[in-house]
Amino acid sequence: MQLSVPPFSELLADTRGSAVHLEMRDDYGTNPRLEAWRRGERVDWKNRESWWHPFHQTIADAVARGVVIRRARVVSEPASEYIRWEHDATQGNISAGEHVRWLPRSQATGFLVPANDFWLFDGNLLRVHHFAGDGSHVADEISTDAETLKLCASAFETIWQHAIPHNAYTI
């Protein structure tokens, strides 16, 4: 049964303890912030107004309620241009309260992971992301299937245990 997909902000607002996000692509298409970075524009992290977006506030609000938010990224090396930008932009995630780790894909060979990126909320609600080959977002789906939840939670924890904290990972 396919459930309707509420907005991310709503899913996180209903989260009480934990949210984990697994990202495994090297490219997620383009966006205005990536395009600015390509032009050589860099974020002034001291000027919060210039980079703080509603997403950051949603994360900060959840963290203030006691929700632990972890993001793990499995990436190819050498890193793609998108991942280099994302690494630079991750300071916003960290400032909002996320814990972020990186795992070089070459170190993940022995791990079984789902084929799609996902968010797992409180271990009981899964938001799966589907992307096209060019990295553009196609659709999301929600799952509460117990076996799928278990598989995704286990995969995330395996990656997390082996991944490198953001401040120690260099591109």
Side-chain angles (χ1 to χ4, degrees):
M1 174 177 80
Q2 174 61 35
L3 303 173
S4 64
V5 181
F8 172 79
S9 58
E10 189 177 305
L11 294 171
L12 194 56
D14 290 340
T15 301
R16 297 293 161 239
S18 68
V20 301
H21 186 36
L22 183 60
E23 297 179 8
M24 296 179 292
R25 297 183 55 87
D26 288 321
D27 192 321
Y28 291 89
T30 192
N31 64 64
R33 294 184 308 142
L34 171 60
E35 293 304 320
W37 184 86
R38 283 179 173 151
R39 291 189 302 272
E41 298 172 26
R42 296 300 182 257
V43 174
D44 177 1
W45 294 111
K46 294 177 185 172
N47 180 2
R48 183 174 156 177
E49 274 187 31
S50 71
W51 58 267
W52 191 262
H53 297 286
F55 173 81
H56 297 112
Q57 191 60 53
T58 298
I59 297 294
D61 291 346
V63 169
R65 290 193 322 272
V67 177
V68 176
I69 301 174
R70 297 181 295 156
R71 180 185 302 255
R73 294 177 170 139
V74 179
V75 297
S76 299
E77 292 180 324
S80 68
E81 179 184 49
Y82 188 97
I83 294 300
R84 290 192 315 274
W85 165 73
E86 194 172 52
H87 187 269
D88 188 50
T90 294
Q91 182 57 46
N93 301 72
I94 301 293
S95 296
E98 281 191 42
H99 303 275
V100 180
R101 293 186 181 181
W102 303 79
L103 183 67
R105 193 173 313 282
S106 63
Q107 296 177 26
T109 301
F111 307 151
L112 294 177
V113 295
N116 297 300
D117 291 10
F118 64 83
W119 277 93
L120 179 59
F121 302 94
D122 286 331
N124 59 27
L125 181 69
L126 186 70
R127 182 179 179 156
V128 178
H129 302 295
H130 299 283
F131 294 94
D134 67 358
S136 62
H137 181 257
V138 174
D140 290 331
E141 71 176 286
I142 295 290
S143 176
T144 56
D145 176 73
E147 288 301 314
T148 304
L149 295 172
K150 183 178 173 182
L151 183 141
C152 289
S154 176
F156 181 87
E157 292 305 328
T158 298
I159 296 296
W160 187 259
Q161 290 170 9
H162 292 88
I164 303 162
H166 176 71
N167 63 356
Y169 182 70
T170 56
I171 298 260

